[in-house]
Amino acid sequence: MSRIGRQPIAVPGGVEVAVDGQHVSVRGPRGSLARDLPPEVTVSVVDSVVHVERSDDSRRARAMHGLSRTLVANMVRGVAEGYEKTLEIIGTGYRAQARGTGELELALGFSHPVVVEAPDGIAFATPTPQRVVVSGIDKELVGQVAANIRRIRKPEPYKGKGVRYLGERVVRKAGKAGK
């Protein structure tokens, strides 16, 4: 049996989990999330503890068991605490500026500033001009938006300039050998 799938999910105070067949909706202090789970798993809520069980031992059911449990656990944690990814910008003249919580203006060495629009449920913050914090309640969406920002100017291997995750290690290349 899946080690991850059989772990129960404790529901913190202030968070409600509603199950309607394969549709799971979670409501908490930061918002609400909903997701349809595959038919190979069943979700039940007993005494503010969520259990995810699979229907049989087929290969697909075993694969969906741990995945579905993790998706529900991420939803519960997201509406209770939220998620955030921090990006750092390395390079001379490279900077970021948040326009409210819905827009981010990036100067990344192009001839024009790049403006990134935040999808619903995502907020941008810039504690310093070289740091961008992407936050929200949906872990998948926070990670995707952060990856899209990083994709605009990936860290290059010679000088390390570009947008990277906080703590990401960029392998540097030697460059040209001088005479």
Side-chain angles (χ1 to χ4, degrees):
M1 187 169 199
S2 170
R3 292 184 198 175
I4 293 173
R6 69 177 162 204
Q7 294 174 354
I9 304 165
V11 179
V15 176
E16 302 172 9
V17 178
V19 179
D20 182 24
Q22 298 307 111
H23 186 77
V24 177
S25 58
V26 181
R27 182 181 310 277
R30 291 185 170 255
S32 62
L33 292 171
R35 170 171 244 127
D36 289 323
L37 296 179
E40 291 84 8
V41 296
T42 58
V43 179
S44 61
V45 182
V46 179
D47 297 331
S48 72
V49 175
V50 179
H51 297 281
V52 179
E53 294 156 3
R54 63 179 181 232
S55 58
D56 56 13
D57 282 337
S58 68
R59 182 179 180 95
R60 177 157 168 84
R62 290 194 317 258
M64 293 296 116
H65 189 203
L67 171 70
S68 300
R69 186 257 176 219
T70 302
L71 291 174
V72 173
N74 287 344
M75 288 168 47
V76 169
R77 181 174 169 226
V79 298
E81 303 167 20
Y83 289 99
E84 65 180 35
K85 284 260 189 192
T86 305
L87 300 165
E88 60 182 345
I89 300 172
I90 309 291
T92 306
Y94 288 14
R95 60 183 158 65
Q97 182 179 356
R99 293 187 196 161
T101 57
E103 274 190 357
L104 181 69
E105 184 178 313
L106 300 166
L108 297 174
F110 298 117
S111 62
H112 58 282
V114 179
V115 177
V116 178
E117 298 278 335
D120 291 339
I122 297 295
F124 295 129
T126 52
T128 67
Q130 282 71 38
R131 288 255 161 101
V132 176
V133 178
V134 181
S135 58
I137 61 173
D138 188 353
K139 184 176 185 178
E140 184 178 353
L141 187 59
V142 168
Q144 186 61 55
V145 169
N148 290 344
I149 293 171
R150 181 182 181 273
R151 190 174 49 186
I152 294 169
R153 177 74 85 179
K154 289 183 183 176
E156 54 98 11
Y158 296 102
K159 291 186 179 179
K161 293 167 51 171
V163 180
R164 63 175 84 169
Y165 297 114
L166 184 66
E168 179 182 1
R169 194 171 143 259
V170 176
V171 178
R172 305 282 293 269
K173 290 184 179 180
K176 286 188 193 176
K179 287 188 178 185

